[in-house]
Amino acid sequence: MKLLSAILVAILIAMSTAAAPQPVVIGSKKFTESYVLGEIAKRVLEEAGVPAEHRQGMGGTIILWEALTQGAITLYPEYTGTISEEILKTRGPVSLDEMRKELSRRGIGVTDELGFNNTYALVMRRERARQLGIAKISDLRNHPELVVGVSHEFLQRKDGWKPLVKRYGLKMPDVRGIDHTLGYVALANGTIDLKDAYSTDAKIAKNNLVMLEDDLGFFPQYRAVLLYRLDADPRVPAALRRMEGTLNNARMLQLNAAAEQTRDYSRAASLYFHETGPKSASLTSNIARWTTRHLLLVGLSLFFSILIGIPLGIWASRPGFMSRLILGITGLVQTIPSLALLALLVSVPVLGISPLTAIIALVLYGLLPIVRNTATGIQDIAMPLRESAAALGLEPRAQLFRIFLPMASRSILAGIKTSAVISVGTATLAALIGAGGLGEPIISGLNLNDHATILEGAIPAAVLAFFVQLSFDFLDRLLIPKGLQIRANSG
Amino acid sequence: MIQLQGVSKHFGPVVALNPTDLIFEERKTTVLIGPSGCGKSTILRLIIGLLEPSTGRLRFDGTVISTETILQLRRRMGYVIQEGGLFPHLTARQNILLLPTHLGRPREEMQSRLNELAELTRLPQDSLSRYPVELSGGQRQRVSLIRALMLKPEVLLLDEPLAALDPMVRANLQTELRAVFHYLNQTVVLVTHSMAEAAYLGDKIVLLRQGNIVQAGTFADLRDHPADGFVSEFINAQRRLVVS
């Protein structure tokens, strides 16, 4: 086991250094504006001679904040309202200086405001709002029949849906949680009437939506700032300071719109520097990079699934309590939704946001098919053959390695194949916690509601799954003993 | 050579063998015979240690058969079952050499032993490189027999070795078995349900019924001095079968 953990550590070090040759890592939340700010910060740092990597769309506030405090990332864009409400959990409004004092106690620095205020807003289709005569949030009191679909984060926030309803005295029974980007689609096709939005969101103008006036002043100010680690290279805060006060609402709206139109964040970020921008890396080189990363994730996790799964399967092949326990637990892991499993693992302090977390989740997910197929493969060996192995005078270990495992090889390989194919699919979720792979374009595409970008990840993932399947069919022929592949020629 | 003292076996409430005393003599072929469920296979499986006795003890060449001693004792016995028990992922040769290789026996010596036994059982050389599915039933049993004899076991245990074969092959192999027993001149325990086979191959016949020994002796003893009606009935039933 010592050797194993040494190998694991070595591989992970290799992975993390491969991913970040220099330690400055920029994180961003899973929406356009955050991506764009992340790209701008990257350019600003690079111009100051600090190489930086941008991990796009790692998730929501909690994930980014954890990643920052744990040191997985060096900085990320955040909003003052979120800092006070969600991170510091203060009562009532606080000044930026007070925040700075409080944050520095946790080893985190904050820049001055970048300029714009991206507060929350409630939006409706312009036509529908006019029809019902709704202009401000308090008008909603007379329309409890409206269907509300808000993002999951907004549903839970201290400055989110529930306190808003209380403050305005709304009675709207039909509220559902829906992905922020998909919510715009639902709004457009009339599935929902009302959703939350960010006031600089380019989709508001694009989809002909109207922002309802916050007539009771419920929403706090969401002024954009950058959070960074105080132990970062001193050139980092110096460079970031150059971004302070440079982005007003109109400018940010313009950059967001450009990003959504061109589907290219770094080009949108270039607009900030008054350029048309360099063309970003070619599609093929991107796909090659994502695929390599994806294969690394799948390969490593499969390796450990096999290493753990086969011995567990052998153990589970012997009838009794342990067998039921092992099969029960591995089966249970499979029933946890993969997203929930990732979220659970991210909350484990030593793991947090890292490729290790993604690999552990994939290893756990890949166990069941291998354990189950190893166990049944061995159990299916006919009694007379088991007895022959014993009666011959082979000790149990030799029976296992010379007879049982080779005879169960077809079943075991089938389990490994299933595990590998599942893993290729599940590994796309690894991008959610910044582990990269083909999930990266899928998640950004989902976020942009852009099918082309989604397909840039989805097609290679499907092709990959197909090739994994093919190569295992080939391995079958190579690894399954020849005697088990011959069908009896005649009766 | 092998001695049973008050050995019984039951599976829960089901009795497979009532307390039994029995001695298998050295260099003799003893046949266990009787109708299905009489306990004949149970005795064989107790000797090779696939079952543990509920009461009593078994000795092999003076050593008590137990979980501690069984591994070493099994290597001094050869065991052949009805379907051969050959491992499908290994060729005939690999099946035969599995244990000798595992125990690190000299390759040259094993090769000449294999040739000797192949000749004795009239197994064609080219079938040695085939997998069990590619062999005929008779060839499978020959390979299984060779595998059992490789390490010159002191005792050969055969559990209905011919039962699954068609009559022609069966008759041939029966003749060969007798030649092999004569040639090797070793202790043999054979389980069968065919009285003709028992009479042909056995020095001593042990007739069982419902977990009890009914009579033990030569075929002539059983035929001329049956212990009870069941013995003559068992002999005659099979004879009638042959005549009709």
Side-chain angles (χ1 to χ4, degrees):
Chain A
M1 274 329 272
K2 249 185 193 159
L3 181 69
L4 272 186
S5 46
I7 293 172
L8 179 62
V9 166
I11 290 167
L12 286 168
I13 289 172
M15 272 188 80
S16 55
T17 50
Q22 295 295 325
V24 174
V25 181
I26 302 163
S28 61
K29 294 194 195 179
K30 197 174 121 16
F31 56 83
T32 307
E33 185 168 293
S34 199
Y35 285 29
V36 173
L37 290 175
E39 283 299 318
I40 294 175
K42 182 181 170 192
R43 279 283 300 272
V44 165
L45 287 175
E46 278 169 354
E47 283 181 9
V50 185
E53 184 204 351
H54 179 198
R55 282 200 199 153
Q56 295 183 347
M58 296 170 64
T61 302
I62 297 169
I63 289 182
L64 268 296
W65 173 251
E66 291 285 318
L68 184 68
T69 50
Q70 288 170 8
I73 58 174
T74 320
L75 65 124
Y76 80 95
E78 190 49 285
Y79 301 89
T80 52
T82 311
I83 296 173
S84 60
E85 298 287 330
E86 297 302 313
I87 294 173
L88 301 177
K89 297 191 167 65
T90 57
R91 286 174 195 207
V94 282
S95 72
L96 190 56
D97 281 336
E98 286 170 288
M99 280 182 204
R100 184 165 289 138
K101 222 162 84 189
E102 191 55 42
L103 286 169
S104 70
R105 245 177 259 158
R106 306 182 194 198
I108 303 300
V110 56
T111 63
D112 276 343
E113 291 161 10
L114 303 182
F116 62 94
N117 175 21
N118 184 0
T119 187
Y120 271 108
L122 294 183
V123 293
M124 292 182 72
R125 269 176 298 144
R126 187 176 295 280
E127 189 190 342
R128 180 105 171 114
R130 191 182 299 148
Q131 228 171 30
L132 300 173
I134 299 174
K136 20 189 221 296
I137 296 178
S138 50
D139 292 340
L140 293 172
R141 285 182 202 138
N142 308 321
H143 295 281
E145 76 283 1
L146 293 180
V147 183
V148 183
V150 294
S151 62
H152 296 97
E153 180 165 354
F154 187 73
L155 207 52
Q156 298 301 329
R157 288 176 73 99
K158 280 172 66 189
D159 55 352
W161 180 252
K162 281 171 198 162
L164 176 107
V165 163
K166 212 160 148 195
R167 177 72 176 279
Y168 275 95
L170 304 181
K171 289 186 186 62
M172 312 190 87
D174 197 357
V175 180
R176 56 188 78 161
I178 186 166
D179 178 83
H180 185 70
T181 312
L182 293 179
Y184 281 108
V185 181
L187 198 58
N189 67 24
T191 317
I192 59 174
D193 298 309
L194 189 73
K195 84 177 291 308
D196 58 315
Y198 311 108
S199 56
T200 52
D201 201 327
K203 291 194 181 79
I204 294 173
K206 190 178 149 199
N207 293 0
N208 202 17
L209 305 177
V210 61
M211 258 188 270
L212 303 186
E213 187 194 332
D214 180 15
D215 49 333
L216 294 185
F218 170 78
F219 289 120
Q221 296 276 303
Y222 282 88
R223 300 203 168 268
V225 292
L226 292 164
L227 292 181
Y228 57 88
R229 292 181 62 84
L230 286 173
D231 61 8
D233 185 332
R235 287 177 298 170
V236 171
L240 295 180
R241 222 154 278 143
R242 287 180 44 209
M243 287 174 70
E244 292 170 354
T246 57
L247 283 159
N248 59 22
N249 270 35
R251 187 110 179 85
M252 196 65 233
L253 199 66
Q254 184 198 355
L255 296 183
N256 288 347
E260 303 214 348
Q261 221 165 39
T262 61
R263 326 282 197 199
D264 187 340
Y265 306 112
S266 58
R267 285 186 85 176
S270 308
L271 283 179
Y272 174 85
F273 300 94
H274 307 287
E275 303 167 3
T276 44
K279 235 176 138 43
S280 54
S282 74
L283 183 60
T284 38
S285 81
N286 270 339
I287 289 179
R289 182 170 50 87
W290 292 324
T291 307
T292 313
R293 184 73 167 184
H294 206 81
L295 278 175
L296 193 61
L297 285 171
V298 170
L300 269 178
S301 55
L302 189 64
F303 174 74
F304 285 101
S305 288
I306 294 170
L307 218 60
I308 302 167
I310 291 181
L312 275 182
I314 293 168
W315 202 0
S317 71
R318 291 162 202 160
F321 175 70
M322 276 316 291
S323 168
R324 270 170 289 153
L325 190 72
I326 292 169
L327 290 174
I329 290 177
T330 47
L332 194 70
V333 170
Q334 203 89 60
T335 64
I336 303 174
S338 32
L339 261 179
L341 186 65
L342 270 181
L344 279 175
L345 288 174
V346 163
S347 65
V348 176
V350 285
L351 297 176
I353 309 288
S354 68
L356 176 64
T357 309
I359 288 172
I360 290 176
L362 289 173
V363 168
L364 287 175
Y365 248 65
L367 275 182
L368 180 69
I370 296 176
V371 172
R372 184 165 286 170
N373 278 38
T374 304
T376 53
I378 293 175
Q379 283 164 352
D380 284 349
I381 296 171
M383 202 58 183
L385 288 177
R386 300 171 158 274
E387 292 188 346
S388 286
L392 200 56
L394 289 171
E395 56 268 39
R397 213 184 135 74
Q399 291 175 32
L400 183 67
F401 283 101
R402 290 181 180 269
I403 312 291
F404 299 156
L405 286 181
M407 283 189 66
S409 58
R410 184 187 295 275
S411 173
I412 296 173
L413 272 172
I416 293 173
K417 172 160 54 173
T418 309
S419 176
V421 173
I422 290 176
S423 187
V424 168
T426 316
T428 53
L429 291 174
L432 281 175
I433 57 169
L438 289 165
E440 242 178 64
I442 294 178
I443 287 165
S444 357
L446 214 56
N447 185 38
L448 289 169
N449 191 20
D450 170 17
H451 297 296
T453 311
I454 294 175
L455 292 180
E456 281 172 20
I459 291 174
V463 171
L464 206 57
F466 176 72
F467 273 108
V468 165
Q469 176 97 24
L470 263 190
S471 51
F472 269 97
D473 290 344
F474 175 72
L475 272 185
D476 271 3
R477 248 171 271 156
L478 211 67
L479 293 180
I480 295 175
K482 197 164 154 272
L484 297 180
Q485 299 188 41
I486 306 169
R487 304 249 168 272
N489 28 15
S490 61
Chain B
M1 191 71 205
I2 302 169
Q3 190 186 15
L4 279 69
Q5 281 178 308
V7 172
S8 75
K9 180 66 192 177
H10 51 80
F11 302 95
V14 181
V15 176
L17 187 67
N18 282 311
T20 298
D21 297 314
L22 189 60
I23 288 175
F24 297 93
E25 288 167 57
E26 206 166 343
R27 304 195 189 288
K28 288 278 164 56
T29 298
T30 308
V31 178
L32 301 172
I33 192 169
S36 298
C38 68
K40 55 190 192 293
S41 282
T42 303
I43 293 176
L44 212 60
R45 293 157 66 80
L46 283 164
I47 296 171
I48 195 75
L50 293 174
L51 296 176
E52 283 178 53
S54 304
T55 65
R57 65 171 51 153
L58 295 94
R59 285 175 196 277
F60 179 95
D61 197 19
T63 312
V64 174
I65 298 175
S66 69
T67 44
E68 287 80 38
T69 58
I70 191 63
L71 186 67
Q72 290 310 318
L73 292 181
R74 276 172 179 163
R75 292 174 183 169
R76 297 166 63 186
M77 306 185 215
Y79 182 59
V80 177
I81 61 172
Q82 189 172 324
E83 302 283 358
L86 297 179
F87 304 117
H89 63 295
L90 302 175
T91 61
R93 177 179 278 106
Q94 288 169 331
N95 261 288
I96 291 166
L97 294 175
L98 179 62
L99 188 63
T101 310
H102 180 65
L103 297 178
R105 295 298 164 89
R107 187 173 299 192
E108 298 270 302
E109 190 187 316
M110 286 302 121
Q111 192 55 51
S112 66
R113 172 83 177 156
L114 170 55
N115 291 338
E116 177 195 1
L117 289 171
E119 201 170 318
L120 186 64
T121 58
R122 298 191 200 164
L123 181 76
Q125 276 287 336
D126 63 336
S127 57
L128 283 173
S129 52
R130 300 220 180 107
Y131 287 97
V133 286
E134 300 170 310
L135 297 173
S136 71
Q139 286 172 335
R140 273 202 284 271
Q141 290 308 85
R142 288 183 171 90
V143 172
S144 185
L145 186 64
I146 295 173
R147 182 173 74 176
L149 292 171
M150 274 307 280
L151 296 181
K152 301 193 175 164
E154 292 146 71
V155 169
L156 182 60
L157 307 171
L158 302 144
D159 194 350
E160 310 229 20
L162 308 177
L165 303 175
D166 57 63
M168 285 288 287
V169 180
R170 190 173 177 157
N172 280 337
L173 209 57
Q174 206 166 301
T175 321
E176 280 171 40
L177 268 183
R178 186 150 92 161
V180 170
F181 295 168
H182 269 278
Y183 176 80
L184 296 170
N185 189 27
Q186 66 186 152
T187 316
V188 176
V189 181
L190 173 75
V191 167
T192 180
H193 57 261
S194 153
M195 191 48 100
E197 204 170 293
Y200 184 68
L201 294 171
D203 298 314
K204 179 181 173 187
I205 295 172
V206 180
L207 179 62
L208 293 115
R209 180 174 63 160
Q210 289 168 6
N212 293 302
I213 295 176
V214 183
Q215 190 173 359
T218 61
F219 177 68
D221 288 339
L222 268 67
R223 183 190 57 203
D224 301 337
H225 312 286
D228 61 14
F230 172 75
V231 179
S232 36
E233 204 181 315
F234 192 84
I235 293 174
N236 288 329
Q238 298 227 351
R239 190 174 288 167
R240 267 204 306 279
L241 217 69
V242 175
V243 172
S244 63

